[in-house]
Amino acid sequence: KRSMLIDRRRSLQKFVTGSAGAIPCSTDSQAVEAACKEVKNPKTDFVWVHLCEFNFAHEKRAQLARQANTAELGAVAGQHVSSSGSANSVSTSNDHTQPVPGIKDLLRDAVRQIRRIHDALPINAMMVLSTGQGDTVGVRRIQEDKWKRLQGVDGRPPWDEPSEATLVEATYSAKQALCFVCVKA
């Protein structure tokens, strides 16, 4: 039996051992293309594909929120804060980064990519789809806020019970996942 893992290089370095093969990719489109090719390979019995762009979008949104928060704190203190987050420095550009796609667009792309993989499967092949986890980036942001508030950083108010309840609820929500299984007929 031969397994093939398709993911970003960093993840593959952690998980690929023994007789498992690896196909590194840098985008979900590349991962789907490799998966569609690999599921047709008669020498491969198990193909594992990790689609990451939805999670990357969550991380990008969190990064933009932190930058906006840093800029707001700097403005309150009467300082200009650059996109790098250092106070009293002048930003040299308007940071023309790619806009973060909306959730509907990301979900539409994910469904299209999953459909492509499903269509490429041979008859009687099983497909297991797991959503992984919820918004772990949001939980990390709340945990960071908790740490800063407990340390008294940036003159933030103390950590309180409603804030702790929000953290517990976000953590519980982030642990939720879905799993779907189908056999192609």
Side-chain angles (χ1 to χ4, degrees):
K1 302 280 181 188
R2 181 168 182 247
S3 298
M4 186 62 67
L5 281 69
I6 304 169
D7 199 350
R8 305 309 191 266
R9 185 173 305 278
R10 181 181 60 190
S11 295
L12 292 174
Q13 291 171 341
K14 295 179 202 174
F15 300 116
V16 176
T17 61
S19 64
I23 300 176
C25 57
S26 57
T27 66
D28 281 0
S29 296
Q30 289 176 351
V32 169
E33 194 67 40
C36 290
K37 184 177 176 183
E38 203 57 41
V39 297
K40 296 175 185 176
N41 184 347
K43 296 179 182 176
T44 303
D45 298 304
F46 177 80
V47 178
W48 181 84
V49 183
H50 184 200
L51 302 179
C52 304
E53 289 175 7
F54 197 83
N55 192 47
F56 290 160
H58 275 304
E59 290 175 2
K60 182 66 174 175
R61 277 193 192 94
Q63 177 187 11
L64 292 173
R66 278 193 304 274
Q67 287 175 351
N69 190 29
T70 301
E72 185 178 305
L73 289 173
V76 168
Q79 302 170 333
H80 176 74
V81 178
S82 73
S83 61
S84 67
S86 59
N88 296 326
S89 63
V90 178
S91 178
T92 57
S93 71
N94 288 336
D95 192 20
H96 298 290
T97 58
Q98 292 281 352
V100 180
I103 290 177
K104 286 184 180 182
D105 293 334
L106 291 165
L107 288 173
R108 192 175 305 116
D109 288 345
V111 168
R112 182 182 47 77
Q113 292 167 333
I114 292 164
R115 185 173 291 131
R116 279 191 60 208
I117 295 170
H118 181 267
D119 291 346
L121 290 172
I123 300 298
N124 290 328
M126 181 185 298
M127 180 175 191
V128 179
L129 172 66
S130 173
T131 60
Q133 73 279 339
D135 184 10
T136 58
V137 174
V139 172
R140 285 193 307 260
R141 181 186 52 75
I142 297 169
Q143 288 171 332
E144 180 181 315
D145 184 49
K146 177 181 180 176
W147 181 87
K148 287 179 179 179
R149 288 170 64 180
L150 288 172
Q151 301 297 318
V153 175
D154 298 331
R156 296 171 188 243
W159 189 253
D160 53 13
E161 286 187 36
S163 300
E164 186 66 25
T166 300
L167 175 59
V168 168
E169 183 179 324
T171 302
Y172 177 78
S173 178
K175 290 180 180 180
Q176 302 297 311
L178 296 172
C179 185
F180 303 94
V181 178
C182 71
V183 176
K184 185 166 181 187

